[in-house]
Amino acid sequence: MSAPLILGLSFGYLLLLFAVAAIAERRAAAGRSLIDNGLVYGLSLGVYCTAWTYFGSVGQAAKSGVWFLPTYLGPMLAMLLAGVVVLRMIRIARTYRITSIADFIASRYGKSPLLAALVTLITVVGILPYIALQLEAVSTGYALMTAAPAGEAAPAYGATAWWRDTALYVALALAAFTILFGTRHLDTAERHEGMVAAIAFESVVKLAAFLAVGVFVTWGLFAGPADIWARAQQVPELRDLGRLGAGSGAGGFAHAQWFAMILLATLSVLLLPRQFQMMVVECVDERHLKRAAWVFPAYLFLINLFVLPIAIGGELYFGAAPVNADTFVLLLPLAEGARALALLVYVGGLSAATAMLIVETVAVSTMVCNDLVMPALFRWRGFGARAGGELTGLLLNIRRVSIVAILLLGYVYFRVAGGAHELVSIGLISFAAVAQFAPALLGGMYWKGGTRLGALGGLTGGFVVWAYTLMLPSFARSGWISADFVAHGPWRLDLLAPEALFGVAGLDNITHALFWSLLVNIGLYVGLSLWRAPGARETSQALLFVDIMKRHHDGGEAPVFWRGRARIADLRALSVRVLGTERGGVLFAGGAEVAAGGALADARLVDRVERRLAGAVGSASARVLVASVVEEEALGLDDVIAILHEATELRAANEKLKSLDQLKDDFISSVTHELRTPLTSIRALSELMLDTPDMDDAQRDAFLRIVVAESERLSRLVNQVLDMAKLESGQAEWQNSDVDLRALIVSSIGAMGALFAERGTEVVADLPASVPPVRADADRLTQVLLNLLSNAAKFVPEGRGRIDVTLTVGARHLEVRVRDNGPGVPPADRAHVFDRFRQGGDALTRPSGTGLGLPISRRIVNHLGGEMWLEPDAGGGACFGFRLPLPAAPEAAEAGRTEQ
Amino acid sequence: MNRKRNTRLALVPCVAAVLLLNFPLILVWDRDVTVAGLPLLPVALFGIWAVLIALVALIGEARPVRRRPDGG
């Protein structure tokens, strides 16, 4: 097809992307966000599928059957853990305004600039081949589309002069797009609405295109998948593609490799800069994660459904012709003359590559700007934090330059190294590079003991091993260094051969590299972390990260680990300088007048400013900036623990206050409720009598009796409430004297004799002949006894009630039990019988009472140094008991002891 | 307590998936058998995959069960 057509289509597609992004930005500005739902979020995660998936999967499937799958099964495993791992990442990033993976790791280990720079460096080195791969795919696609119909083989890489190379122009156009939608705001914690919408749109395009070509091959060129497989059975090379042994040579199953691939993919979907960007930074609402957790795997499932049919179909179709299987998706429609489909597939491939390039460059440029360039600038004299001039523009420009630089570097890599390997092996090298972040990042989220030194050591070690075992051999394959080096190691030391370290052979190069690099990485991370205790800042950050879920659960605020003196005016000037006048000023509610007065900021404001700045320049740089305008105390480990302790205590005190407040509210509402009932009946009856002058005397008598009874109940209630209040506030007067409990019980039973007789209740008192005296207020103690007795009397059955009162003398105390043969306390209510206004039984059947008797009794007994309880199992009926301490005179107690 | 239990429950499908998709259980499907004309291994892998997706969808989309507040 003609070059102008393809070029026009390519740039038309990019324009469409611009339009989608622009619409999304406009909708967001109008408050109707397009991306604020789980489906779009899930689709935007589809940025995982790059040109590698789009072209490379088929190539890999043609060679080794189902071996393309682990790369997509890994994300499934990661998404199964979304609610545990990803949610934690999102919450941490949201709380501390973390905008990149470098920032995440650096922030966890005490906001270390060195660590941030190291992570950035690893990312850039590891990701460049991946970027080159996308450009290569676009360039290959263009070459195939514009090639003469007969020319089936792809033209040699780098054959075109650079100024005629589409890949260069695609790179530049993408740089423009990325700059427009990726660097609009400074604070990356504020999402890139337009970019996310465009990426979700691209996900749909590439899926539709791939499904279209899949259907075309499966049912257009063949008679369905079964037909393809049946024909493949006739070809010896294809027969094994349905088995695990395919591609591994000997026919055995390289399970270590399978496992490594799945592990690699699981880690990559969490740790690749673009995945982190989409999944964590651009997450609008953590609730969307639930839907994305199945939408994203379902997306991967669909996009892989036709990989095998296309791969096998392509092999059958082209037979012995020397065709690169990576290009089957394009070549099959082209060879069949399906021009429209070929164009669609080309656009799909373009969308797969551009989505990756856009998000990856946004993510990496943020890292480069915040973690490499800015720290260097801050160190430069004359650029210190106190120097004037707004930084907003400068920061954005640094990002824009880094976007262009990253894309151009990727292009250079593609020109120099392109075509040396299949797409898949390049992608896996990048995967293995970002997998090095796993110990520091995942470990740091769950293990408080991980230290900066451990993270630095682990990352460096892992990266060096990665470079030695994967990067160098790939250079050797490109012919830049001698192949002999790979085969026999440096200085012909076979033990150091990069792809068989220490003689570990039999693994493929990726598994081998992953094993050694992660071994060294984890070993150094854990070893160095245990070797040296962490500093104060590392400890405080570790606490903030690891406990994030707990805090979220308790709704508590994080402690602020900062002490010092900061003037609000200085902080304000700093945030205005970094964030701009409008956004920087928002933080300071008091406005200019507060700032002008030289007022001091509290730790919480300093923390807020620092977090806000972290969103713009990264936590490490924000730390440096804030430290430069305030006078701060260097915190020691003891201080960190003290602050944490304070925060915990404060939270506990707050919770206690809150619950007391709640209690008071409940109390007031119960009291008013209890007062209203008798009041209502008194009022109703009085009104009735007032309105009916000719009421007969018997009726009036009965009514008046009720009024009197209810009034008595009211005054009893008021007395008890006052009593309770006095007891609770500790203002009750106690007139303690030596009290003979036995005599008290006898007189209490006597006082209630009339009531018992009326209801036909038998009272059996089992009392020793004499008991030692206790120190108590006799009236209060009588109150307790009367309460227990009247309680029991209320619940026993009419006519055959029985109440047992026992008094026993122990070594140090007297125990009283009041047992009845009533219905007992239902298990559900047992815990609450001593709560105020909790009466046994439901509202309809329960006897009249205030619901304050038991709580008051318990309080009195507690005040006298004793305790009151409900017997756990009284065997039918309820049994309340209490115990009062005897004065310290053991002989006297022993003398009066009587066994039961 | 409840939260911890939920976290542990969430691990169950993940552990199951790790086992199902790895050596040695994956060897169960590695044989020269066809299902409806298709090789067993890819069919089984895609099948397990689909079941896992359905499982995540079921768990994620289920309305949270409202527990009656405790108390008497």
Side-chain angles (χ1 to χ4, degrees):
Chain A
M1 282 174 245
S2 70
L5 172 68
I6 306 299
L7 278 180
L9 188 71
S10 308
F11 287 96
Y13 176 72
L14 288 182
L15 279 181
L16 183 64
L17 275 192
F18 273 97
V20 171
I23 290 170
E25 297 260 327
R26 196 164 308 155
R27 289 272 302 241
R32 293 173 301 141
S33 173
L34 273 177
I35 67 166
D36 187 9
N37 67 70
L39 185 67
V40 173
Y41 177 56
L43 282 175
S44 74
L45 297 185
V47 71
Y48 183 71
C49 297
T50 63
W52 174 14
T53 304
Y54 199 81
F55 298 111
S57 285
V58 172
Q60 200 185 9
K63 215 171 62 176
S64 51
V66 293
W67 281 86
F68 72 97
L69 271 181
T71 313
Y72 307 96
L73 293 175
M76 177 78 247
L77 296 185
M79 286 297 115
L80 281 167
L81 282 177
V84 182
V85 178
V86 183
L87 187 63
R88 193 177 268 254
M89 287 164 81
I90 291 176
R91 281 188 186 162
I92 291 173
R94 175 73 41 93
T95 312
Y96 304 112
R97 289 188 167 259
I98 285 167
T99 54
S100 71
I101 210 152
D103 204 7
F104 197 101
I105 294 177
S107 181
R108 161 64 181 80
Y109 299 100
K111 306 187 179 175
S112 152
L114 184 59
L115 203 45
L118 178 63
V119 173
T120 306
L121 214 62
I122 295 178
T123 309
V124 172
V125 173
I127 228 70
L128 270 185
Y130 208 178
I131 287 175
L133 177 144
Q134 309 301 322
L135 292 170
E136 177 180 325
V138 171
S139 162
T140 312
Y142 174 79
L144 287 172
M145 293 299 284
T146 52
E152 273 161 353
Y157 293 99
T160 42
W162 64 267
W163 65 89
R164 292 184 54 198
D165 192 344
T166 10
L168 177 62
Y169 296 107
V170 166
L172 290 176
L174 282 177
F177 179 92
T178 315
I179 285 168
L180 263 181
F181 289 97
T183 58
R184 179 163 287 196
H185 313 296
L186 182 63
D187 193 345
T188 28
E190 277 179 32
R191 284 160 289 280
H192 305 95
E193 291 263 346
M195 184 183 82
V196 175
I199 297 307
F201 172 75
E202 297 216 90
S203 288
V204 175
V205 171
K206 64 194 175 203
L207 178 61
F210 200 85
L211 287 179
V213 70
V215 170
F216 170 78
V217 171
T218 313
W219 284 282
L221 298 183
F222 297 90
D227 175 47
I228 297 180
W229 186 243
R231 290 199 208 187
Q233 292 299 89
Q234 317 299 321
V235 186
E237 301 91 73
L238 299 183
R239 201 178 298 149
D240 274 347
L241 286 184
R243 298 287 302 272
L244 282 169
S248 65
F253 172 42
H255 55 261
Q257 190 186 355
W258 183 272
F259 180 79
M261 293 293 161
I262 290 193
L263 177 68
L264 207 49
T266 312
L267 295 179
S268 305
V269 87
L270 300 171
L271 303 173
L272 278 170
R274 64 174 188 281
Q275 295 303 125
F276 188 86
Q277 180 80 26
M278 278 309 182
M279 195 153 58
V280 178
V281 181
E282 306 286 350
C283 176
V284 183
D285 186 334
E286 65 179 38
R287 281 171 297 183
H288 296 163
L289 196 58
K290 281 194 168 169
R291 177 155 296 168
W294 67 267
V295 169
F296 175 46
Y299 180 90
L300 296 179
F301 180 90
L302 287 177
I303 210 164
N304 278 297
L305 209 47
F306 286 108
V307 167
L308 268 178
I310 296 175
I312 301 175
E315 289 287 348
L316 288 170
Y317 188 89
F318 291 111
V323 173
N324 183 354
D326 283 346
T327 57
F328 278 174
V329 275
L330 262 180
L331 282 184
L332 283 168
L334 275 178
E336 279 292 302
R339 284 171 57 98
L341 181 64
L343 288 174
L344 176 66
V345 171
Y346 169 75
V347 168
L350 192 63
S351 75
T354 52
M356 182 276 185
L357 289 171
I358 291 167
V359 185
E360 205 84 85
T361 46
V362 163
V364 177
S365 74
T366 308
M367 289 194 213
V368 168
C369 166
N370 288 355
D371 303 318
L372 282 182
V373 180
M374 290 315 285
L377 280 182
F378 287 141
R379 202 157 298 167
W380 184 35
R381 273 186 317 150
F383 195 79
R386 293 204 182 261
E390 281 202 7
L391 288 178
T392 328
L394 176 71
L395 276 165
L396 284 177
N397 282 332
I398 293 175
R399 272 183 212 177
R400 289 173 186 140
V401 171
S402 13
I403 287 172
V404 176
I406 292 161
L407 282 168
L408 286 181
L409 270 177
Y411 176 74
V412 169
Y413 190 98
F414 151 66
R415 291 291 295 195
V416 175
H421 316 293
E422 309 92 40
L423 299 179
V424 167
S425 58
I426 299 185
L428 285 175
I429 291 176
S430 288
F431 272 29
V434 297
Q436 303 309 322
F437 302 146
L441 192 146
L442 299 177
M445 285 202 302
Y446 294 92
W447 182 41
K448 286 180 192 161
T451 66
R452 188 181 82 103
L453 188 65
L456 278 173
L459 278 172
T460 315
F463 180 64
V464 167
V465 175
W466 169 83
Y468 186 70
T469 53
L470 270 184
M471 202 73 175
L472 282 185
S474 104
F475 286 167
R477 266 190 286 279
S478 297
W480 298 344
I481 53 175
S482 117
D484 189 53
F485 173 84
V486 176
H488 300 292
W491 311 291
R492 302 199 70 81
L493 283 170
D494 278 335
L495 278 184
L496 293 180
E499 295 194 329
L501 268 187
F502 305 112
V504 175
L507 297 171
D508 66 295
N509 61 341
I510 299 283
T511 312
H512 174 265
L514 193 68
F515 168 74
W516 280 115
S517 60
L518 282 185
L519 182 75
V520 170
N521 191 333
I522 295 173
L524 284 173
Y525 173 62
V526 174
L528 289 176
S529 290
L530 294 176
W531 180 49
R532 281 275 167 87
R537 190 162 292 284
E538 291 163 76
T539 309
S540 59
Q541 287 299 105
L543 288 168
L544 294 178
F545 270 54
V546 176
D547 288 341
I548 188 104
M549 301 302 258
K550 201 162 82 194
R551 262 196 310 281
H552 195 272
H553 191 65
D554 302 343
E557 253 190 276
V560 177
F561 296 98
W562 186 88
R563 274 182 195 165
R565 268 167 52 92
R567 283 174 52 230
I568 293 184
D570 292 339
L571 288 173
R572 191 186 160 87
L574 177 64
S575 23
V576 166
R577 185 166 169 232
V578 178
L579 300 167
T581 319
E582 190 188 327
R583 297 146 70 83
V586 175
L587 281 168
F588 302 88
E593 61 274 17
V594 177
L600 292 182
D602 64 350
R604 214 156 267 289
L605 179 67
V606 176
D607 181 55
R608 208 160 67 221
V609 170
E610 190 176 324
R611 281 199 216 178
R612 195 58 214 222
L613 295 182
V617 295
S619 54
S621 300
R623 185 81 280 282
V624 175
L625 281 174
V626 169
S628 68
V629 299
V630 302
E631 296 163 33
E632 47 188 30
E633 276 173 44
L635 292 184
L637 205 52
D638 298 344
D639 300 317
V640 169
I641 291 163
I643 291 176
L644 189 72
H645 194 64
E646 261 167 43
T648 321
E649 274 183 351
L650 194 67
R651 189 159 65 223
N654 271 335
E655 266 161 26
K656 197 168 167 198
L657 265 181
K658 226 188 272 174
S659 80
L660 275 179
D661 209 39
Q662 180 66 30
L663 219 60
K664 188 144 266 162
D665 287 350
D666 289 352
F667 183 65
I668 288 174
S669 93
S670 317
V671 166
T672 40
H673 179 77
E674 298 293 327
L675 288 176
R676 206 164 46 196
T677 323
L679 211 52
T680 313
S681 78
I682 290 171
R683 187 176 156 195
L685 292 176
S686 315
E687 279 174 0
L688 199 64
M689 289 188 281
L690 200 63
D691 294 345
T692 333
D694 51 347
M695 184 182 283
D696 68 67
D697 284 354
Q699 179 81 57
R700 187 178 296 268
D701 225 37
F703 279 7
L704 282 172
R705 236 181 279 282
I706 299 177
V707 169
V708 170
E710 290 294 280
S711 311
E712 277 170 356
R713 192 171 144 202
L714 260 185
S715 50
R716 201 164 60 234
L717 185 71
V718 171
N719 282 339
Q720 284 193 340
V721 168
L722 287 175
D723 212 20
M724 189 78 198
K726 260 196 224 159
L727 284 174
E728 284 205 334
S729 61
Q731 287 174 345
E733 284 174 27
W734 297 83
Q735 288 166 345
N736 285 0
S737 57
D738 283 340
V739 175
D740 180 359
L741 196 53
R742 185 182 187 283
L744 223 53
I745 293 174
V746 171
S747 73
S748 300
I749 295 174
M752 298 207 39
L755 180 74
F756 292 137
E758 188 187 311
R759 300 199 59 192
T761 304
E762 186 192 357
V763 182
V764 181
D766 181 3
L767 311 171
S770 71
V771 292
V774 287
R775 275 310 274 186
D777 183 318
D779 290 343
R780 289 286 183 191
L781 215 45
T782 309
Q783 194 182 347
V784 172
L785 287 167
L786 286 178
N787 181 267
L788 290 182
L789 286 169
S790 65
N791 243 0
K794 269 187 268 177
F795 285 98
V796 292
E798 182 117 34
R800 44 190 184 81
R802 181 189 158 106
I803 299 172
D804 291 291
V805 184
T806 51
L807 172 62
T808 46
V809 187
R812 292 199 184 80
H813 38 245
L814 297 181
E815 273 184 24
V816 177
R817 282 190 176 76
V818 178
R819 179 191 304 272
D820 63 54
N821 64 342
V825 184
D829 293 342
R830 291 183 155 269
H832 303 293
V833 286
F834 292 109
D835 291 356
R836 289 170 300 191
F837 300 114
R838 294 271 194 167
Q839 284 180 275
D842 51 76
L844 284 178
T845 57
R846 75 179 179 207
S848 64
T850 56
L852 279 173
L854 281 174
I856 289 181
S857 301
R858 178 181 244 188
R859 239 163 247 273
I860 291 170
V861 172
N862 285 350
H863 186 90
L864 294 174
E867 51 192 321
M868 180 179 255
W869 67 92
L870 170 63
E871 294 273 304
D873 183 26
C879 179
F880 286 91
F882 68 90
R883 165 188 303 153
L884 288 174
L886 286 169
E891 313 82 33
E894 211 56 47
R897 186 168 183 154
T898 331
E899 292 300 330
Q900 289 257 293
Chain B
M1 238 23 235
N2 211 357
R3 190 169 54 97
K4 279 216 166 129
R5 190 164 163 270
N6 283 347
T7 309
R8 274 185 220 128
L9 275 181
L11 290 176
V12 172
C14 187
V15 171
V18 169
L19 290 175
L20 282 174
L21 295 174
N22 265 306
F23 179 84
L25 280 181
I26 194 178
L27 292 180
V28 170
W29 317 104
D30 188 25
R31 49 190 80 223
D32 274 323
V33 177
T34 54
V35 184
L38 299 172
L40 176 65
L41 178 66
V43 171
L45 284 176
F46 274 97
I48 294 171
W49 195 358
V51 168
L52 288 173
I53 292 170
L55 197 70
V56 178
L58 268 180
I59 297 171
E61 299 291 324
R63 292 190 166 277
V65 182
R66 285 207 175 276
R67 290 177 143 269
R68 276 177 4 96
D70 286 348

